[in-house]
Amino acid sequence: MKGLLRSAPIQWVLARLVQGYIELLISTLQWRSLDAGPAAPLLRGESGFIALFWHGRIAHAMACRRLLERKPRAVMISLSRDGAFIADAALSLGIPTIRGSTGRVRDGVDKGGATAFRAALAAIDGGAVMLMTPDGPRGPRETLQLGPVQLAKAAQCPVVLMGLAASPALALKSWDGGRLPLPFARAALCVEGPLPPPMANDPAALETTRIEWQHLMDRARRRAEDQLARA
């Protein structure tokens, strides 16, 4: 069954289904909050930056496309076969993709990390917002990995953390605890940042930044969920 689902024709069909569903969400989600707040000048400016959101909220992030207006963008998606149809759907929605991961090498195999890292730096240098899931592509769930911190350090660019929520939404049986908003659902986006990039390059300093961003990512998610609870 997995082999069938990963065949090229089925992947093409899945990509079209995802594209169509995201377009439906873009048209129907009722955003209770879609305000970048302090990050708004970055969206209107010409400089690139990094925006992070949890892997389980990919559908939410793609559905708030109008927040980015005319800002150039790119999204990092893993080289896995499961990521292929997501990358295809993203391209169909006008979001350029970078295939790979800034995460660590697994079992001695580089999952496109070095190439993806260089491509992400080039996108940021070109003025794009680099969209990333800091717990992807394999988790642990909602645990911020060091890769985005290292990328921000190398690019010396600001970082925006996105908290996303929607109700009602389907709970998916996936490693990331994914949530799929239903059409006409209420949705909320809360932003933390922009945050400055780390300056020091020693492991202890980078880990301190990672922990701080982890805390702020969790707070952004809770704020988005609280917005819906009060609505």
Side-chain angles (χ1 to χ4, degrees):
M1 179 60 72
K2 284 187 177 181
L4 177 62
L5 290 174
R6 291 174 176 174
S7 66
I10 297 299
Q11 291 272 301
W12 185 90
V13 171
L14 289 173
R16 301 289 76 74
L17 291 174
V18 170
Q19 176 193 354
Y21 194 81
I22 296 299
E23 293 282 10
L24 178 61
L25 292 181
I26 290 170
S27 300
T28 64
L29 282 186
Q30 302 174 46
W31 289 95
R32 292 299 190 267
S33 174
L34 189 57
D35 182 4
L42 288 177
L43 294 171
R44 295 191 294 266
E46 297 182 357
S47 298
F49 65 98
I50 296 170
L52 306 180
F53 57 91
W54 294 131
H55 197 278
R57 300 298 184 270
I58 288 177
H60 304 60
M62 295 177 76
C64 66
R65 181 176 63 185
R66 70 176 183 269
L67 176 69
L68 297 178
E69 299 177 350
R70 298 181 181 276
K71 185 72 175 177
R73 70 214 65 175
V75 62
M76 188 171 293
I77 299 175
S78 75
L79 283 170
S80 68
R81 292 183 181 180
D82 292 333
F85 75 88
I86 298 176
D88 189 351
L91 283 171
S92 299
L93 291 164
I95 307 174
T97 62
I98 293 174
R99 300 301 306 278
S101 170
T102 59
R104 63 184 181 274
V105 173
R106 292 177 180 272
D107 301 323
V109 179
D110 180 3
K111 300 296 186 179
T115 301
F117 197 94
R118 289 192 296 270
L121 286 175
I124 295 166
D125 187 58
V129 50
M130 187 66 237
L131 301 163
M132 301 175 65
T133 55
D135 56 342
R138 296 184 180 275
R141 169 186 172 183
E142 295 190 359
T143 298
L144 197 143
Q145 298 179 17
L146 198 57
V149 179
Q150 294 170 325
L151 179 63
K153 169 66 176 64
Q156 281 299 291
C157 69
V159 177
V160 171
L161 311 180
M162 301 167 61
L164 292 152
S167 180
L170 296 177
L172 305 179
K173 295 182 179 180
S174 55
W175 69 264
D176 59 1
R179 305 281 293 181
L180 183 63
L182 296 179
F184 301 98
R186 295 173 297 117
L189 164 70
C190 290
V191 168
E192 293 282 348
L195 307 173
M199 300 300 294
N201 201 34
D202 63 280
L206 294 177
E207 176 63 11
T208 297
T209 299
R210 188 199 69 79
I211 293 171
E212 177 188 356
W213 290 4
Q214 172 76 51
H215 169 72
L216 292 174
M217 285 283 290
D218 291 338
R219 187 168 74 176
R221 174 184 51 77
R222 290 194 300 268
R223 287 174 54 210
E225 292 170 349
D226 290 346
Q227 287 244 4
L228 295 185
R230 292 196 301 267

